[in-house]
């Protein structure tokens, strides 16, 4: 059974931040992640088949941006599920966007990414990055019954990222993280090593 980010077991994971700074990804302009995650993404890139690379769409996200996404998506869900109470709406929302208290992106611990050829053409993954469960009819779930090409490409992505120490959020094939509470829970680590972090002054525009 998939553990969602809204599950209390995720919030219960301790955070002992190791102080890794946010750093820019040299292959993804404008994207910041924690230094330890950046190193692991370099490892993952080296493990990909020849002619294939990662395209990182998003890394660190501010708390304000995270809150805005939650509010927008929850409003959509409220219209689709008028009988749902607040607890159920939080559960449904967390399939697509993490609650602020445990959000891996806000910790600089997560990336949304896909595969591309070395010439920059995106490989078919079954849905676009950031397709909601409603938009994709559930095909955004990593284990969804997608076509053979998408399954093959998802497997290539997962093999490289898992081997580099990242974990996937199973309701979003594109979302992978290292160091956050969800990573700690799935990997069996004693604690998360990354908590919420602010963008450093030098990176602000």
């Amino acid at each position: 059974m998939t553990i969602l980010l809204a599950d209390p077991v995720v919030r219960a994971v301790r955070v002992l931040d190791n102080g890794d700074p946010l750093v820019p990804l040299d292959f993804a302009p404008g994207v910041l992640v924690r230094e330890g995650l950046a190193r692991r993404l370099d490892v993952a890139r080296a493990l990909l088949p020849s002619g294939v690379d990662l395209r990182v769409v998003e890394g660190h996200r501010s708390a304000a941006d995270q809150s805005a996404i939650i509010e927008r998506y929850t409003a959509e869900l409220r219209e689709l599920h008028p009988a749902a109470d607040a607890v159920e709406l939080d559960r449904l929302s967390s399939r697509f966007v993490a609650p602020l208290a445990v959000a891996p992106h806000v910790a600089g611990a997560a990336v949304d990414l896909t595969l591309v050829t070395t010439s920059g053409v995106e490989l078919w993954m079954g849905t676009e990055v950031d397709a909601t469960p409603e938009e994709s009819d559930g095909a955004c779930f990593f284990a969804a019954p997608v076509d053979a090409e998408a399954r093959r490409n998802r497997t290539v992505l997962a093999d490289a990222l898992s081997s580099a120490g990242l974990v996937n959020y199973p309701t979003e094939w594109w979302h992978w993280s290292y160091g956050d509470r969800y990573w700690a829970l799935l990997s069996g680590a004693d604690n998360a090593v990354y908590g919420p972090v602010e963008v450093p002054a030098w990176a602000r525009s």
Side-chain angles (χ1 to χ4, degrees):
M1 181 177 178
T2 298
I3 299 173
L4 296 177
L5 280 157
D7 194 307
V9 72
V10 180
R11 189 184 295 257
V13 174
R14 293 187 310 157
V15 178
L16 297 176
D17 200 303
N18 69 8
D20 272 359
L22 285 172
V23 297
L25 286 179
D26 56 7
F27 65 98
V31 176
L32 299 175
V33 298
R34 293 289 193 121
E35 189 173 48
L37 174 54
R39 289 196 302 268
R40 285 162 177 80
L41 290 171
D42 285 338
V43 171
R45 293 177 75 200
L47 293 172
L48 290 171
S50 177
V52 178
D53 201 357
L54 299 177
R55 171 173 290 162
V56 177
V57 177
E58 188 171 19
H60 178 266
R61 185 185 295 156
S62 71
D65 286 346
Q66 185 76 12
S67 295
I69 296 170
I70 293 170
E71 290 176 12
R72 185 166 60 248
Y73 185 49
T74 301
E76 294 175 13
L77 291 171
R78 193 175 291 113
E79 291 187 10
L80 292 170
H81 306 280
D85 61 14
V87 173
E88 177 64 5
L89 286 172
D90 284 348
R91 186 190 72 80
L92 290 170
S93 175
S94 73
R95 297 170 307 161
F96 180 67
V97 56
L100 185 59
V102 298
H105 282 288
V106 176
V111 282
D112 294 340
L113 77 179
T114 190
L115 294 176
V116 294
T117 66
T118 49
S119 59
V121 178
E122 290 193 8
L123 302 188
W124 173 239
M125 308 296 287
T127 76
E128 299 296 323
V129 172
D130 281 343
T132 68
E134 291 76 25
E135 290 169 341
S136 67
D137 195 24
C140 60
F141 292 11
F142 184 88
V146 292
D147 61 71
E149 181 184 1
R151 176 52 52 204
R152 181 171 60 252
N153 290 334
R154 289 185 186 194
T155 300
V156 168
L157 182 71
D159 286 349
L161 292 170
S162 297
S163 295
L166 281 71
V167 301
N168 172 243
Y169 189 44
T171 60
E172 301 176 342
W173 61 259
W174 58 83
H175 177 104
W176 291 78
S177 68
Y178 167 80
D180 60 298
R181 281 173 155 140
Y182 199 79
W183 164 86
L185 183 66
L186 266 61
S187 67
D190 291 337
N191 55 269
V193 295
Y194 299 145
V197 64
E198 296 294 329
V199 173
W202 60 261
R204 296 177 192 145
S205 55

